[in-house]
Structures are given as structure tokens and as C-alpha cells.
Amino acid sequence: MEILNFEFSASEAAAKSALVGCVGSGDLEILMEPSSSSVTTIQVITSVDGSEQRWKNLFERIFSESKQCAVNIEIHDFGATPGVVRLRLEQAFEEVQHG
Amino acid sequence: MADIDYLLKKQSFIELDARQRAKSLLDATSQKELLDPFARVMSPWLIKQNIVPQADDGVVVIKGTLEGRPAVVISIEGVFQGGSLGEVGGAKIAGALELAVEDNRNHIPTVAILLLETGGVRLQEANLGLAAIAEIQAAIVALRQYQPVIGVVAGSVGCFGGMSIAAGLCSYLIMTQEGRLGLNGPQVIEQEAGLQEYNAKDRPFIWSICGGEQRFKTGLIDAYIDDNREQIKAQIIEFIQQGSPQRPRCMQAEHYLEKLQHLDTTQQISPAEVQALYQGEKA
């Protein structure tokens, strides 16, 4: 198990909180809450050791493509593939903005 | 032939996660989750053992009304750590049941519905989990004096270990074909008794012993129904309206012991023989 922390610059604060996913095999749980600053913080607790570079690449790709709203993200990962992580993040962003 | 139209329109209960299951039962406008994931009351023990925790510790407690009656739905997430109960999850369940008892003492007739999807105590939190399960059992017995406590074992994780005893204490038990109920889980029995005795991978064999259909036919549960949200909800409401049973099953130990005393244990007993043993003529 590893605990990783990341930070990205962001736009305006999100409207609400969202919870998606579950800490089950190949899945992850994301808690997303509005951030009071214009920074998005991410804490990842993952069952997969040595995966920091993979998480970093994934987040950089998401946050460089478009500026997302400012949120605090907590991730409890149980071996989700990057594809699943991305889908869950998009699901959470959709919920905090529109849900 | 299968009713295709029914199958297409049917809304599965098992495919919902723990939170969705609880929400599907209660009246939409009434729901309030107690200690929701953002309260961050998480297991302090899992991280110390290098295991990823879940924000709600795998237990969802929602208070609200069910067709206008005050109710609390307690739902265990079977996908997270096999629905195992540790200190936090166990305390959430025990606390919710104790609140329901307090409600009843204050003339609020709160009923409790337990959606059980659990392997029992979480081994990583052994003693604390066991203590919590004892509290849950005591709270079920206390609440049962006021209102029926209804257990539902819907999904294939089933209900085992200490929580199967908690299930046995419920006023009414509802199962689906997919559900399983037993004291020791199949893998535990296989490990202890050997593959020859009990093959946990042999699904027809396992379900013929502890599956919902067999448990219903032996009279150890009260309803055997389809994996269908509407039907499960309707069955729960029916049991609430019936009120507490005259003689709960767990008060009939002598009846069951008497039957077991006449059992010839030199031969392997078949599922049909178990039905005949417990149900006699009715089987």
C-alpha cells in the first residue's frame, strides 16, 4: 500500500461534493469536495506499490487537457486500471459540476 | 418458458451497491444517511496493516420512512473486504439499532431492515469486530421486543460467521436464489475439513446446502423471492405489517435439537433429507 499526494492548479470551486465507486477488486472510491483555493489537491491511497509515476502521468494528462474546477480529491484505490480511474474521475467531475 | 417481458422490465436488487440498495427501499424525500462517507469515520486499523480503507467502512446507515413508517436501513457493502465487519462498521450497525430501540422507547415505532452481505468479522480487526457483532446481536434482540427486525440476504457474498447468528436473531429473513446463509463459509469448511468433504468451488453443491432455496425449504427463513427491487420491498412491507412473530425461530432451539437427535450421522445426509428432517410432512 502507498499514500501519494498531488497538486494541480484549477479554475473556480466546484458546486458540490460527490462520491463514486467502491474499494473493490479493480475499482476505486473517489471522494470529491469543493476546494476553497484555486488549487486541486489529490491524495491517493493505493494497494499497488510503485505506481506513483503512473498516477502522475494520468493526472497530468487529465489536468493539462482542460482546466477542471477546484476540488479536493481523496482516492482509495484497489487496483483499478488507468482506464477505470479516468472514467471514475470523469464521473465525479460531472457530478460535482452538474449533479 | 421464461417470461421475456418480465425479465426485461425487472429491476435487479443485487446489482445495486449497498447505498443504492438502502435508498431503493426508503421513501425518496425522507432519507438521511448517518455518518456518511464525508464524515470520514474510517477504520483506523486497515492502513496500519497496509490495506486500503473505504470512507464508510463498508456500512451504509440511512434513516427515513418506508411507506410513511419510520425506518432505518442498514446495508453492508459486500464488495469491500468481503463485507467484513470491523470496529467502525460494526459500531455503526450497533449504534443504528440502539437508536431505533431508543426511538421505540420514545414512542417512535422505528423498524430496522438489515441488508446483509457479509463474511462476518473482519479478521484484521478480530476482537473489536467480534465485540461489535455481540453488540449488534444484543441490539437486535432489544429492538425485536418493539418492532420486527427484517434481514435480507440477497447477493452471492451471503451471510456467514457471527453475522449469520445476527441473521438468525432477526424476526424475519428474506433470501434470493443467489444468497447464501451459514455459520462457516464454504472456503473455511473446505480448509478445515478437506476438499473431499466440502468442495467450495462446487457451486451446485454449496447452494444446495446454504443457498436461499434450500434455506427456505428447510423452514430456516421466511421468504424466498426473486432478485427484484419491487418484490423485495413489498415483502419487507408485508412482514412489517404482520408485526413480530409469535415465537421467533431462535426461541425454538429445543424443537430443532430434538430433530437433530434422531439424525443418523453415519450416512451423508442429502439436501432433500434435510428438508424432510426440519419440515416433516411439509417438505
Side-chain angles (χ1 to χ4, degrees):
Chain A
M1 192 200 74
E2 277 180 358
I3 301 177
L4 312 166
N5 287 286
F6 304 91
E7 250 187 48
F8 295 92
S9 64
S11 57
E12 78 287 353
K16 57 191 275 277
S17 302
L19 168 83
V20 299
C22 178
V23 189
S25 180
D27 202 352
L28 77 168
E29 170 186 68
I30 300 178
L31 287 95
M32 196 176 270
E33 290 174 291
S35 160
S36 50
S37 65
S38 59
V39 176
T40 283
T41 64
I42 308 172
Q43 186 192 63
V44 180
I45 303 180
T46 174
S47 61
V48 184
D49 288 348
S51 58
E52 180 163 12
Q53 189 61 44
R54 187 157 55 78
W55 286 101
K56 190 164 173 276
N57 292 351
L58 177 71
F59 292 137
E60 279 174 355
R61 204 170 301 140
I62 290 171
F63 292 102
S64 67
E65 270 172 15
S66 62
K67 216 166 197 187
Q68 302 282 1
C69 53
V71 284
N72 295 319
I73 299 173
E74 261 176 61
I75 290 178
H76 300 139
D77 168 52
F78 215 66
T81 61
V84 172
V85 178
R86 175 138 200 176
L87 281 170
R88 286 288 187 207
L89 274 169
E90 282 175 8
Q91 183 189 0
F93 271 119
E94 198 169 296
E95 284 194 28
V96 296
Q97 286 169 80
H98 310 292
Chain B
M1 204 182 116
D3 184 343
I4 306 272
D5 199 44
Y6 167 74
L7 288 173
L8 286 174
K9 282 187 184 150
K10 181 184 93 162
Q11 287 196 299
S12 167
F13 186 73
I14 298 174
E15 74 180 23
L16 301 176
D17 67 26
R19 187 162 286 100
Q20 290 168 330
R21 286 185 194 189
K23 286 183 171 174
S24 78
L25 294 177
L26 291 166
D27 303 338
T29 52
S30 71
Q31 307 183 2
K32 183 177 190 315
E33 182 168 349
L34 308 184
L35 289 182
D36 71 16
F38 293 100
R40 288 186 177 74
V41 184
M42 270 189 279
S43 165
W45 309 107
L46 289 179
I47 285 194
K48 290 180 184 181
Q49 296 171 72
N50 280 319
I51 296 167
V52 179
Q54 182 162 294
D56 58 16
D57 204 32
V59 172
V60 178
V61 178
I62 304 185
K63 281 199 100 171
T65 56
L66 176 55
E67 305 257 295
R69 284 163 180 268
V72 59
V73 182
I74 297 158
S75 182
I76 304 173
E77 179 55 70
V79 173
F80 172 62
Q81 293 293 328
S84 62
L85 289 182
E87 183 185 17
V88 171
K92 279 170 83 169
I93 299 179
L97 291 167
E98 283 158 13
L99 278 178
V101 173
E102 207 172 294
D103 275 357
N104 278 281
R105 286 193 186 126
N106 294 322
H107 310 291
I108 303 163
T110 303
V111 296
I113 297 133
L114 291 159
L115 308 180
L116 301 165
E117 200 77 47
T118 171
V121 69
R122 182 178 293 159
L123 298 180
Q124 294 89 346
E125 305 183 25
N127 292 355
L128 296 169
L130 284 171
I133 290 177
E135 282 177 26
I136 292 168
Q137 292 166 348
I140 292 174
V141 172
L143 183 58
R144 219 174 53 182
Q145 300 171 339
Y146 299 97
Q147 297 292 332
V149 179
I150 298 162
V152 182
V153 184
S156 61
V157 171
C159 180
F160 292 99
M163 286 307 284
S164 71
I165 302 173
L169 293 170
C170 288
S171 315
Y172 298 101
L173 273 179
I174 299 170
M175 287 181 79
T176 67
Q177 185 181 33
E178 195 72 11
R180 299 180 294 174
L181 175 65
L183 187 58
N184 289 118
Q187 277 158 322
V188 176
I189 301 175
E190 184 191 294
Q191 189 180 309
E192 295 302 316
L195 197 66
Q196 295 290 319
E197 174 77 17
Y198 208 87
N199 182 357
K201 287 200 181 69
D202 185 349
R203 290 175 61 98
F205 169 71
I206 296 303
W207 262 264
S208 77
I209 290 172
C210 59
E213 188 178 6
Q214 173 71 0
R215 289 307 191 201
F216 183 66
K217 285 183 175 165
T218 48
L220 291 171
I221 61 166
D222 305 280
Y224 169 64
I225 51 176
D226 204 10
D227 167 30
N228 180 319
R229 283 176 222 177
E230 276 175 31
Q231 286 180 20
I232 289 175
K233 185 171 174 176
Q235 186 63 64
I236 290 170
I237 292 166
E238 197 186 311
F239 282 145
I240 292 173
Q241 284 167 348
Q242 274 182 31
S244 297
Q246 289 277 313
R247 265 187 93 211
R249 200 176 295 104
C250 64
M251 304 295 275
Q252 300 175 29
E254 279 174 15
H255 164 80
Y256 287 106
L257 280 174
E258 203 258 329
K259 291 195 180 285
L260 287 172
Q261 266 159 9
H262 298 296
L263 181 66
D264 174 13
T265 52
T266 56
Q267 297 290 317
Q268 179 72 47
I269 189 169
S270 73
E273 285 165 343
V274 179
Q275 293 168 21
L277 176 72
Y278 282 144
Q279 293 284 71
E281 296 290 296
K282 278 193 275 175

